[in-house]
Amino acid sequence: MLNQVETMFDNMLIMMKKLKKASYEKYMKEFRQQHGHFFEEMAEYVDAGENKEAAAKDVAAAFTDAVKEKFSVNGKIRSRTQADLNFFMIYYVFPAVLLTESENKDLIAKSIRDEWAVKFKDSNIGYTDYDKIYGGFREKILGIF
């Protein structure tokens, strides 16, 4: 399940650098085009499961294990890397989960959030949908940029 899901973090630093409204929209579109199959796989697995909560926990465990394995060095993740991962989760991963058409998308996001907090130090993060994040960006501040 979720074979090579950690590859969705390959362009993380580029996608987080100087993030503005236009770049966020562009990056999110590209992110969903390249990695949307992972989110569909998550949704299909949970939707097909008899026990939705258990299936969502399976998805969360597979996802977090893959990410932790990719970024761990001697079993630890550098604090700067962890901060980048947390922001990437908030800006891209959770909104992409919530953009699926699954009736279980909130359960999937909640399960990933909860498992993330267990597996990653100082990572008690929240999540919201794409529209709220996108709406929070301002194109110009006092006409300066």
Side-chain angles (χ1 to χ4, degrees):
M1 176 184 1
L2 301 177
N3 191 23
Q4 298 184 343
V5 71
E6 69 280 1
T7 60
M8 73 172 61
F9 291 83
D10 287 350
N11 294 325
M12 173 176 66
L13 297 179
I14 294 167
M15 294 170 68
M16 295 302 295
K17 189 174 184 179
K18 296 183 182 181
L19 203 54
K20 295 185 179 177
K21 193 171 198 167
S23 60
Y24 179 60
E25 180 179 28
K26 174 185 171 247
Y27 288 146
M28 180 55 114
K29 183 177 180 180
E30 291 171 0
F31 179 73
R32 291 185 66 219
Q33 286 173 343
Q34 293 173 353
H35 306 293
H37 63 283
F38 291 122
F39 302 106
E40 293 303 321
E41 184 180 345
M42 291 176 189
E44 288 171 8
Y45 183 82
V46 174
D47 291 347
E50 213 170 286
N51 182 338
K52 307 292 186 210
E53 287 189 21
K57 286 180 182 182
D58 290 346
V59 164
F63 177 80
T64 56
D65 287 346
V67 175
K68 189 166 187 173
E69 184 176 320
K70 177 179 176 111
F71 290 97
S72 292
V73 177
N74 296 325
K76 295 182 182 181
I77 297 176
R78 293 182 32 229
S79 59
R80 173 59 194 212
T81 302
Q82 186 59 63
D84 290 339
L85 289 169
N86 289 346
F87 281 113
F88 193 79
M89 291 291 294
I90 293 165
Y91 278 96
Y92 292 99
V93 175
F94 288 124
V97 168
L98 295 173
L99 284 169
T100 65
E101 295 182 12
S102 171
E103 62 184 38
N104 296 296
K105 61 188 172 191
D106 288 317
L107 176 61
I108 296 167
K110 179 184 175 296
S111 296
I112 292 172
R113 179 204 59 202
D114 293 348
E115 190 69 17
W116 192 264
V118 169
K119 291 208 176 125
F120 295 92
K121 182 181 175 187
D122 299 324
S123 296
N124 190 11
I125 58 177
Y127 64 89
T128 191
D129 61 38
Y130 171 79
D131 291 329
K132 286 184 183 163
I133 294 173
Y134 182 76
F137 282 101
R138 305 234 172 158
E139 209 56 53
K140 296 181 181 180
I141 299 174
L142 303 174
I144 296 175
F145 308 179

